[in-house]
Amino acid sequence: MTEPTPTLNVPSGARYARLLSVGAYRPERVVHNDELVEAINSSDQWIRERSGIVSRRWAAPDESVTDMAEKAARVALDRAGLSAADVDAVLVATVTHPYQTPSAAAMLTHRLGATPAAAFDLSAACAGFCYGVSLANDMVRGGSARHVLVVGVEKLSDFTDLSDRSTAFIFGDGAGAVVIGPSDEPAIGPTIWGSDGSQWEAIVNKSSWVEYREAENPEWPALKMAGQTVFRWAVWQMAPVAQKALDAAGIAAAELDAFIPHQANARIVSAMVKQLQLPDSVPVSYDIEESGNTSAASVPLAMDRMLEEGSAPHGGLALLIGFGAGLTYAAQVVRLP
């Protein structure tokens, strides 16, 4: 007689998940445009008009990606009323952790005292945080974790060429973190995400580590960007992605309490607002003015600022979208902590 096929036990997760808290860390050093203009033969006015950036934060030379992630994570855990022992998984979205291995997430998990939580890094550039929110949502609902710490963190000052007129003024440093856990009601909408690897060279390091090692006169592999290519892609293709996220969540633009897009460029944000036909009643983050482009840290930093300043309500609905190198993108509607 044939033996019956064994049935696997499958963990039962939460019906829904939500953002329980948000925390942020901004380095102490404020870098104004005037510090950068001479090397790129530019002006404060030119930078403001081109990007909307007035200043950005840079980490101290001895301040690492893991240092900043830890500071933001501890704030998020405290606000969630949880200890590190309550964390089942740690996801760190970053492209500036200077080690191929081990991951920043593994180092952060140890620092926090969250061992033996699962830990891994996400390399999806400016979309990384929104990717992390989607993965954490699925983990909580699927039963592989109850509480997931998602951190977006970058030290882009380590990979900025201060003589490159197209990128020297853009990037900043910082970290933002959220704790995602069970919810009794829907609080994270479906994620609309994707990639276009055919445009991988639009935002890329100047060389690979192997090319850097083998070059006769190696040039540090700072970031370079085809600005106009990225600008056109973001302006014309990201608003439809944002609209799909609204439609998937069953939310109209006028029902939003906040729009928190990746802080790539103030003109891109304004163009998306126009294409989405967001009413004036919906507050929009322009955190780029004082933060610059912080890649994976951009969305959580902007979220934290809006909640701290009261421009977005706790418990309100926000549309998040991240987009950048890869090219990668992700958007979802969430209920704010």
Side-chain angles (χ1 to χ4, degrees), residues 22-25 65 68-70 72-73 90-96 108 122 125-130 132-133 149-155 173-178 294-301:
V22 61
Y25 172 72
V65 161
M68 293 189 287
E70 180 183 0
V90 177
L91 282 57
V92 174
T94 186
V95 292
T96 51
L108 175 61
L122 293 170
C126 309
F129 175 76
C130 292
V133 169
L149 175 66
V150 180
V151 184
V153 57
E154 303 289 5
K155 191 179 180 182
D173 303 336
V178 295
T294 55
S295 188
S298 166
V299 171
L301 280 173

Side-chain angles (χ1 to χ4, degrees), residues 130-169:
C130 292
Y131 269 51
V133 169
S134 182
L135 292 174
N137 174 57
D138 291 347
M139 292 164 75
V140 172
R141 297 184 67 184
S144 61
R146 181 170 175 82
H147 295 112
V148 182
L149 175 66
V150 180
V151 184
V153 57
E154 303 289 5
K155 191 179 180 182
L156 285 154
S157 57
D158 276 348
F159 292 90
T160 299
D161 179 353
L162 296 182
S163 66
D164 182 348
R165 185 177 172 85
S166 65
T167 60
F169 60 91

Side-chain angles (χ1 to χ4, degrees), residues 87 289 314:
V87 176
E289 182 176 321
H314 289 277

Side-chain angles (χ1 to χ4, degrees), residues 10-90:
V10 178
S12 177
R15 187 175 182 189
Y16 305 113
R18 68 173 298 128
L19 277 64
L20 302 177
S21 64
V22 61
Y25 172 72
R26 299 173 188 270
E28 289 185 13
R29 185 184 173 192
V30 178
V31 179
H32 293 279
N33 292 337
D34 289 341
E35 288 191 47
L36 307 175
V37 295
E38 185 176 350
I40 58 173
N41 189 27
S42 184
S43 69
D44 172 58
Q45 182 180 354
W46 183 84
I47 292 174
R48 292 185 189 219
E49 290 175 353
R50 187 179 181 85
S51 66
I53 300 172
V54 176
S55 63
R56 74 285 292 142
R57 301 289 186 104
W58 282 359
D62 62 349
E63 193 170 30
S64 70
V65 161
T66 311
D67 293 335
M68 293 189 287
E70 180 183 0
K71 290 172 181 176
R74 290 193 183 279
V75 174
L77 286 170
D78 183 63
R79 288 176 174 173
L82 298 172
S83 71
D86 297 313
V87 176
D88 302 302
V90 177

Side-chain angles (χ1 to χ4, degrees), residues 26 78 81 105-106 114 116 153 176 204 219 233 253 256 281 300 329 337:
R26 299 173 188 270
D78 183 63
V153 57
V204 67
E219 181 184 9
W233 173 75
L256 289 171
S281 59
Y329 59 87

